[in-house]
């Protein structure tokens, strides 16, 4: 192991983003990013969520299609921005209450359907990466809040919260085994419940999954809660955020007794894509920015949410750009030679020889 001290590093992340894993057999450098600050979003239209790569999903399902007592309908009116003022990172949103993008499930059944909310990324070529959402889930019984990657019904990575069990996180890889049971993943090898022994609806939490070719790891507030080595997807798809109900007693239950709100504060995703032409060329000194780890709930305490590409001036400009322009003091890795020396700098820097 070779050691050296480095000065503070301010270079851009032109060669991507790295998980803080050393001696891992899985690839942990990702070329692309989607960073979205939902705390300062002020509009949502059919054309998209203000200056972001997220698109409202507007569709209906019958009860048979939704596999529930009721059908499902996603509507634009259930996607409600509740922004903080520019430059402010705590307090109530403009509409009062929790700030962020509100995803609402309504109590009233309309034409046999429970109405909810869903949005998805525009790009559908996401293949492997680390995906994180800051989310305050509803405490009202009868809904499902979900952050998931999706290709089709048997290739899906899910973290889901059911408001009937406010202390439990459900981690799921949908597979052919689940499809054989009517798309009920319970009892398959890639479904687990994790009980945190507290009410998840009391504050924002970070829900995360890291997807590699050989496994998927799930985290809550930086703590690993499950790992799956079977049924790992190996083809591209896209990301979705959803809040829904269909009356299924075995899952969402509902509809809720009153309008239920789940609020999104951010999404941070670092990933590879199948569009090889978009892979950035590293110019000169190769640099990779190390992704900070979340430790504990992402409290809104007045300090800005960390982004590699901070949106100036606190108005959301999230993109699917290949590299950010402002590392903002994040851990930076410089790959200085073909011998794969990794130089790490935060307050104090060191170089670790990975070979």
């Amino acid at each position: 192991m070779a050691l050296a001290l480095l000065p503070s590093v301010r270079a851009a992340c032109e060669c991507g983003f790295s998980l803080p894993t050393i001696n891992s057999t899985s690839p942990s450098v990702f070329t692309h990013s989607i960073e979205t600050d939902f705390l300062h979003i002020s509009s949502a239209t059919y054309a998209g969520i203000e200056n972001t790569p997220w698109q409202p999903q507007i569709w209906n399902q019958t009860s048979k299609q939704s596999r529930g007592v009721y059908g499902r309908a996603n509507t634009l009116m259930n996607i409600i921005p509740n922004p903080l003022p520019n430059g402010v990172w705590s307090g109530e949103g403009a509409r009062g209450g929790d700030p962020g993008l509100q995803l609402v499930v309504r109590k009233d059944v309309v034409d046999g359907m429970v109405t909810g909310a869903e949005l998805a990324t525009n790009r559908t070529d996401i293949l492997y990466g680390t995906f994180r959402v800051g989310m305050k889930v509803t405490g009202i019984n009868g809904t499902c809040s979900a952050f998931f990657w999706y290709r089709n019904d048997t290739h899906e990575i899910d973290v889901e919260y059911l408001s009937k069990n406010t202390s439990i996180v459900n981690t799921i890889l949908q597979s052919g085994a689940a499809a054989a049971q009517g798309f009920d993943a319970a009892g398959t090898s890639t479904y687990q419940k994790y009980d945190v022994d507290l009410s998840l609806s009391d504050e924002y939490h970070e829900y995360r999954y890291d997807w590699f070719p050989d496994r998927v790891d799930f985290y809550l507030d930086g703590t690993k809660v499950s790992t799956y080595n079977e049924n790992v997807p190996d083809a591209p798809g896209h990301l979705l955020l959803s809040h829904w109900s269909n009356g299924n007693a075995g899952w969402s239950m509902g509809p809720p007794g009153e309008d239920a709100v789940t609020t999104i504060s951010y999404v941070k995703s670092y990933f590879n894509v199948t569009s090889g032409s978009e892979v950035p060329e590293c110019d000169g000194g190769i640099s990779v920015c190390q992704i900070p780890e979340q430790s504990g709930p992402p409290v809104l305490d007045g300090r800005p949410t960390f982004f590699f590409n901070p949106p100036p001036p606190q108005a959301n400009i999230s993109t699917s750009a290949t590299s950010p322009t402002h590392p903002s003091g994040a851990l930076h890795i410089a790959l200085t030679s073909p011998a794969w020396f990794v130089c790490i700098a935060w307050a104090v820097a060191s170089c670790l020889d990975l070979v």
Side-chain angles (χ1 to χ4, degrees), residues 132-148:
R132 302 129 188 256
V133 61
M135 180 165 64
K136 185 173 182 183
V137 293
T138 183
I140 298 171
N141 186 22
T143 76
C144 174
S145 301
F147 174 52
F148 60 110

Side-chain angles (χ1 to χ4, degrees), residues 17 31-34 123 271 278 309 318-325:
F17 313 88
T31 57
H32 288 60
S33 67
I34 293 175
R123 70 180 315 148
F271 52 91
E278 292 189 31
N309 191 13
S318 301
T319 69
S320 55
T322 58
S323 61
T325 55

Side-chain angles (χ1 to χ4, degrees), residues 24-43:
S24 171
T25 58
S26 298
S28 58
V29 175
F30 305 113
T31 57
H32 288 60
S33 67
I34 293 175
E35 295 181 319
T36 309
D37 167 25
F38 285 112
L39 290 175
H40 298 96
I41 291 290
S42 59
S43 68

Side-chain angles (χ1 to χ4, degrees), residues 109-139:
V109 176
V110 179
D111 296 329
M113 295 177 289
V114 182
T115 68
E118 185 172 274
L119 51 154
T121 55
N122 291 325
R123 70 180 315 148
T124 59
D125 59 351
I126 296 171
L127 181 66
Y128 309 125
T130 177
F131 310 94
R132 302 129 188 256
V133 61
M135 180 165 64
K136 185 173 182 183
V137 293
T138 183

Side-chain angles (χ1 to χ4, degrees), residues 16 26 90 157 168 210 213 215 290:
S26 298
S90 63
I157 303 170
I168 290 177
D210 293 355
R215 72 180 191 278
Q290 187 163 302

Side-chain angles (χ1 to χ4, degrees), residues 72-327:
R72 289 175 54 190
N74 292 326
T75 71
L76 183 64
M77 68 175 290
N78 290 343
I79 302 174
I80 303 174
N82 189 29
L84 290 169
N86 286 341
V88 176
W89 295 88
S90 63
E92 293 190 347
R95 301 169 59 89
D98 298 321
L101 190 67
Q102 298 179 340
L103 306 181
V104 183
V105 173
R106 304 290 178 180
K107 65 182 179 63
D108 295 325
V109 176
V110 179
D111 296 329
M113 295 177 289
V114 182
T115 68
E118 185 172 274
L119 51 154
T121 55
N122 291 325
R123 70 180 315 148
T124 59
D125 59 351
I126 296 171
L127 181 66
Y128 309 125
T130 177
F131 310 94
R132 302 129 188 256
V133 61
M135 180 165 64
K136 185 173 182 183
V137 293
T138 183
I140 298 171
N141 186 22
T143 76
C144 174
S145 301
F147 174 52
F148 60 110
W149 172 93
Y150 182 85
R151 178 174 177 85
N152 56 44
D153 286 348
T154 58
H155 292 78
E156 184 175 343
I157 303 170
D158 271 318
V159 56
E160 299 195 3
Y161 160 85
L162 306 177
S163 57
K164 66 181 181 181
N165 294 315
T166 63
S167 67
I168 290 177
V169 178
N170 299 272
T171 62
I172 309 158
L173 299 187
Q174 293 286 2
S175 64
Q181 299 180 170
F183 295 95
D184 180 2
T188 69
S189 62
T190 50
Y191 168 71
Q192 290 183 21
K193 296 179 180 180
Y194 180 76
D195 194 334
V196 299
D197 198 30
L198 56 83
S199 178
L200 292 164
S201 63
D202 287 345
E203 58 185 332
Y204 296 84
H205 293 276
E206 183 181 90
Y207 303 83
R208 164 185 163 191
Y209 43 90
D210 293 355
W211 171 29
F212 303 104
D214 62 343
R215 72 180 191 278
V216 180
D217 300 326
F218 290 85
Y219 295 79
L220 177 68
D221 295 332
T223 298
K224 187 185 291 187
V225 299
S226 60
T227 295
Y228 300 130
N229 303 104
E230 301 176 66
N231 304 323
V232 177
D234 59 1
H238 62 160
L239 297 177
L240 295 99
L241 290 159
S242 184
H243 190 201
W244 60 274
S245 176
N246 67 358
N248 185 326
W251 199 248
S252 73
M253 300 185 67
E258 59 185 281
D259 291 351
V261 178
T262 281
T263 305
I264 312 300
S265 63
Y266 64 78
V267 168
K268 304 177 188 181
S269 298
Y270 309 93
F271 52 91
N272 293 325
V273 299
T274 53
S275 305
S277 61
E278 292 189 31
V279 175
E281 294 184 5
C282 301
D283 183 17
I286 301 174
S287 62
V288 177
C289 287
Q290 187 163 302
I291 304 163
E293 292 287 285
Q294 181 67 33
S295 179
V299 180
L300 302 185
D301 58 4
R303 293 177 294 178
T305 302
F306 174 82
F307 297 103
F308 284 106
N309 191 13
Q314 321 308 340
N316 193 291
I317 59 165
S318 301
T319 69
S320 55
T322 58
S323 61
T325 55
H326 303 92

Side-chain angles (χ1 to χ4, degrees), residues 313-355:
Q314 321 308 340
N316 193 291
I317 59 165
S318 301
T319 69
S320 55
T322 58
S323 61
T325 55
H326 303 92
S328 300
L331 187 56
H332 171 272
I333 299 175
L335 303 181
T336 59
S337 76
W340 290 93
F341 283 82
V342 177
C343 304
I344 304 176
W346 193 299
V348 177
S350 64
C351 275
L352 303 178
D353 185 356
L354 291 187
V355 295

